[in-house]
Amino acid sequence: GDDTALLALLKECSSIEINVAAVQALNGEDALRQAEREFRSHDRRVHSVAKQCYEIRIAQRKSRALANELIDAAVALAGESMIPANRLAELDQAWRALDVDLLESDQVARFGDLRACLAERVRDYGDRQRSISRWSVHAREVLANLSACCARTTDTSQGPHELLFALGSARDEARNTQAQIPALMPAPGPDAKTVAALGEELAAALHESALIAARLTLLD
């Protein structure tokens, strides 16, 4: 753990085995560079070990610095309301390009935790978007059915009771569809705007059909 003492030992000791062990025990990048230069013209074996350790330490420093950048990027991504799947894929690809053996264990653990959290949010977002898509299709069908039922109330060949029953069923379905909106709205993005717009259409259609239902009730 004392690079200064190890460098002094390298200068004093003539044993190749001890010198190799001393080089391998060096921690600092500067100390390894000094040892590599010191033995460049003295001993090929010790120089080779020093050069290898020095290059590993450089690679370790660069890899750990890049790992910290990727961890910071993951933290920033986690702070966004919507996480694009391609951003997470790019982050994964950049991390896989690193040599994990050169990283600190807490770096690997931290990125693993962040990656798992981000992946879960991407999955949840995808599931919610699919739910919004299915709901939107159903909501348009419900609106079309409610509009058709309202239009049929002008048909004098049917009695008010039959018309009221059909309109009531369509209104119930519209209210059930409207009740599902709060569970869908937390998802940001253009699909959420679609939900809000369809929600307004449902509210307007229910209001209009309520007026019609009231008149049919009086006629019935």
Side-chain angles (χ1 to χ4, degrees):
D2 187 340
D3 283 355
T4 302
L6 288 167
L7 287 172
L9 177 63
L10 284 167
K11 292 179 180 180
E12 298 171 359
C13 185
S14 59
S15 169
I16 294 178
E17 287 73 17
I18 292 178
N19 284 339
V20 168
V23 167
Q24 291 173 335
L26 290 170
N27 291 320
E29 189 176 314
D30 290 339
L32 284 166
R33 181 173 64 250
Q34 185 176 339
E36 189 270 335
R37 290 176 177 175
E38 183 74 22
F39 284 90
R40 189 175 297 172
S41 59
H42 285 62
D43 186 281
R44 181 179 298 177
R45 180 181 170 190
V46 178
H47 172 260
S48 177
V49 172
K51 182 179 180 181
Q52 183 182 23
C53 290
Y54 176 57
E55 291 174 348
I56 290 174
R57 190 70 78 243
I58 292 175
Q60 187 181 66
R61 170 172 54 82
K62 292 180 178 179
S63 295
R64 290 180 178 182
L66 183 54
N68 284 332
E69 292 179 8
L70 294 177
I71 289 172
D72 290 341
V75 171
L77 191 59
E80 296 183 11
S81 58
M82 183 175 65
I83 302 174
N86 64 322
R87 290 276 301 281
L88 180 58
E90 291 171 359
L91 201 60
D92 271 343
Q93 185 177 5
W95 185 267
R96 285 195 299 269
L98 295 175
D99 186 346
V100 179
D101 293 334
L102 297 175
L103 306 180
E104 296 177 350
S105 58
D106 61 334
Q107 287 181 309
V108 177
R110 181 84 190 284
F111 184 84
D113 292 341
L114 286 167
R115 199 272 174 207
C117 179
L118 291 171
E120 183 177 359
R121 286 183 56 188
V122 168
R123 285 194 298 270
D124 290 345
Y125 178 77
D127 291 343
R128 193 179 298 276
Q129 294 303 106
R130 285 187 287 273
S131 296
I132 287 176
S133 179
R134 290 192 295 268
W135 180 89
S136 299
V137 172
H138 178 67
R140 291 187 178 93
E141 293 174 350
V142 168
L143 281 167
N145 181 45
L146 184 55
S147 177
C149 286
C150 288
R152 281 198 298 271
T153 58
T154 60
D155 184 2
T156 56
S157 65
Q158 297 187 56
H161 185 74
E162 290 76 10
L163 294 171
L164 188 61
F165 178 80
L167 183 60
S169 298
R171 280 174 51 77
D172 286 342
E173 190 173 11
R175 280 192 292 267
N176 290 335
T177 303
Q178 189 182 44
Q180 298 170 13
I181 292 178
L184 300 170
M185 287 307 290
D191 288 343
K193 296 180 180 179
T194 300
V195 172
L198 286 171
E200 293 177 0
E201 290 186 44
L202 283 167
L206 283 167
H207 176 71
E208 181 182 352
S209 62
L211 300 177
I212 297 174
R215 290 175 173 81
L216 285 174
T217 300
L218 290 174
L219 289 172
D220 187 39

